[in-house]
Amino acid sequence: MRKRDYYEVLGVDRRADAATIKRAFRELAMRYHPDKNPDDPVAEERFKEVNEAYAVLSDDRARAQYDRFGHGSTGVASQGVSAVVEVVEEIVRDFRRRRRRKRGRDLRYTLELSFEEAAIGCTRTIRIPDPKAANGADAPEREFVVRLPPGTKSGAVKRIAGEGEPGEAGGPPGDLHVIVRVREHPLFRREGSDVWCDVPISFTQAALGAVVDVPTIHGAVKMRVPEGTQSGRVFRLRGKGIPKTSSPQGPRGDQLVRVVVETPVGLTARQRELLEEFARVSGETIAHPRRKGFLDQLRALLGE
């Protein structure tokens, strides 16, 4: 097969300078590189042709010899072509070897945390079977220490590079992905760095005021409920929420406590008697803010 002119191969003029030749070579080499054209024999031949042309035209002596004698040149030109072709063929062979290598599969591990562990941050040790163990043999386990920062959420993924299954034919190993799942809490719920909690109180505590125990992710605290507190009122405990940074001295969110006034059930006869007496002597003299507001709106609606 007739060899194409090297200037034609690179798509440059015979008077092109070294920079133009180099720019053309880089563009064509990237276009026809085996990495971008797997299993494409035409691209492979074009890649060799481009390298061969550049090997000659990038060398001043070889180019001058080629300009005078063409493909029949000997000496420096032929030696340069031979050396480049060998290098290119080696690159292609190496690429084919690398293509047969297969990256190992990634492994997944689900790590379950309590609400408090995820909120405050923790360090956990996990154990997974060793993927290098022979089939049928007892799996010697591997241990990993996983550090989770404060405020970790469900679905967060910690990647441990290179600790997945081994690759094939010398390929790189996969990764280990630790997926966090945070258990729901019977008392707490999260909103950003704040924690919400409902605290039930009796109607006497709400009416007279009291000091009640309130759970937080940092331990129980005392909270004063002022007299006349209405059901649904929200109190803010500053700095009792989720840390905003990894530093123990860093800022924290707040805990928002909503009090829920409970109506007593299962009254004894004496308790009912006292409540009935309370109702008789109270009449309309006891202030019920929400009820009074409702009655005022109702009277306005009825035109009274």
Side-chain angles (χ1 to χ4, degrees), residues 95-276:
F95 173 71
R96 287 174 174 168
R97 285 195 299 269
R98 286 188 288 110
R99 272 197 312 172
R100 289 194 294 268
R101 300 172 187 168
K102 187 176 180 182
R103 182 179 180 274
R105 292 192 305 170
D106 293 339
L107 297 178
R108 293 163 58 93
Y109 182 96
T110 300
L111 177 59
E112 189 173 76
L113 301 180
S114 69
F115 185 93
E116 293 88 346
E117 287 176 324
I120 299 173
C122 64
T123 298
R124 295 282 295 273
T125 299
I126 64 172
R127 295 177 177 83
I128 65 170
D130 189 346
K132 302 182 183 67
N135 293 333
D138 293 336
E141 289 186 336
R142 297 182 298 163
E143 286 191 357
F144 299 96
V145 175
V146 181
R147 293 178 175 83
L148 300 161
T152 297
K153 296 181 180 179
S154 262
V157 178
K158 295 284 288 186
R159 173 175 164 271
I160 304 177
E163 294 298 342
E165 291 190 352
E168 298 179 8
D175 301 329
L176 171 63
H177 297 276
V178 180
I179 303 167
V180 175
R181 187 172 76 85
V182 181
R183 294 192 298 270
E184 290 188 2
H185 197 279
L187 299 179
F188 302 131
R189 65 184 183 278
R190 176 179 179 178
E191 288 188 7
S193 58
D194 294 334
V195 176
W196 281 78
C197 177
D198 290 345
V199 174
I201 61 175
S202 69
F203 78 95
T204 54
Q205 289 176 313
L208 303 176
V211 175
V212 298
D213 290 321
V214 175
T216 77
I217 60 175
H218 306 285
V221 298
K222 300 287 186 182
M223 185 184 80
R224 180 171 294 280
V225 177
E227 64 179 50
T229 293
Q230 302 299 308
S231 187
R233 180 174 174 180
V234 176
F235 297 87
R236 184 180 295 272
L237 302 178
R238 298 196 178 277
K240 294 300 182 182
I242 296 171
K244 297 181 179 180
T245 67
S246 58
S247 171
Q249 290 76 36
R252 297 174 179 173
D254 302 330
Q255 176 155 320
L256 298 159
V257 181
R258 184 177 65 179
V259 295
V260 180
V261 180
E262 291 190 309
T263 302
V265 296
L267 298 174
T268 65
R270 178 58 178 161
Q271 288 170 334
R272 175 175 290 277
E273 179 184 348
L274 290 173
L275 283 176
E276 289 173 348

Side-chain angles (χ1 to χ4, degrees), residues 40-58:
D40 186 343
V42 174
E44 181 178 320
E45 289 303 317
R46 291 285 286 128
F47 182 67
K48 291 181 181 180
E49 187 181 41
V50 166
N51 278 271
E52 181 179 315
Y54 181 68
V56 174
L57 300 186
S58 62

Side-chain angles (χ1 to χ4, degrees), residues 4-26:
R4 289 203 298 155
D5 181 80
Y6 288 150
Y7 294 98
E8 178 187 344
V9 169
L10 296 182
V12 298
D13 186 81
R14 299 188 73 85
R15 293 167 295 181
D17 59 17
T20 301
I21 291 173
K22 183 175 183 180
R23 186 163 54 248
F25 164 71
R26 287 174 61 86

